[in-house]
Amino acid sequence: MNEHPISNLMTETMAKIKEMVDVDTIIGTPITTADGTTVIPVSKVTFGFASGGSDFAPKHGGSAPLAFGGGGGAGVTVSPVCFLIIAPDGSANILGINAQASTTVDRLVEMIPGAINKVSSFIEGYKGKAGADGQPDTGVTSAGDE
């Protein structure tokens, strides 16, 4: 039994989509500036795909095989999300694109880099305020310290 034409149609459409999108579409090619800073673009990719067809009886009857009519299509959207910036000293920051978040999950994902930076700053500040004994310096002295 021969393969149905819809199978070939879907296979060809999926092959074309695979050609268009690869990992470099989501995590872009790193760009290095003159001062050694590396900038890596990060994007969100959305796909839509549809395919369909129908077999038709031949116009002139007889034992001719059924005629096939079909079509397929795909849509791709690539939206920039952020840039990962790596400084020459090895520190990294995320520079977000200010697009409106459409869902609560998107909003939470957007908040993660800022939250991580705030926690890191707090921890570094806490370590910097530690006294010689390793305990945090509260600025309060006891009667025995004077």
Side-chain angles (χ1 to χ4, degrees):
M1 185 169 168
N2 291 340
E3 249 185 69
H4 197 276
I6 192 76
S7 176
N8 292 334
L9 180 68
M10 291 178 67
T11 301
E12 186 65 25
T13 305
M14 292 302 289
K16 294 297 181 185
I17 291 173
K18 188 175 179 181
E19 284 177 22
M20 287 189 306
V21 178
D22 60 3
V23 72
D24 290 334
T25 306
I26 298 168
I27 304 295
T29 304
I31 302 163
T32 304
T33 63
D35 70 347
T37 301
T38 302
V39 179
I40 303 171
V42 179
S43 300
K44 176 173 110 176
V45 179
T46 306
F47 290 100
F49 171 72
S51 183
S54 180
D55 290 320
F56 298 97
K59 276 187 170 183
H60 303 294
S63 63
L66 295 176
F68 175 77
V76 178
T77 302
V78 180
S79 305
V81 174
C82 65
F83 294 96
L84 178 60
I85 301 171
I86 304 170
D89 66 358
S91 64
N93 286 320
I94 295 176
L95 177 63
I97 305 296
N98 291 332
Q100 287 287 11
S102 58
T103 65
T104 304
V105 174
D106 289 341
R107 287 188 190 105
L108 286 172
V109 169
E110 287 178 1
M111 293 171 66
I112 290 171
I116 290 172
N117 286 338
K118 286 180 182 179
V119 170
S120 296
S121 297
F122 176 75
I123 291 172
E124 287 174 12
Y126 184 78
K127 286 180 182 176
K129 290 183 178 180
D133 59 356
Q135 297 297 320
D137 182 13
T138 60
V140 177
T141 58
S142 64
D145 290 339
E146 294 179 21

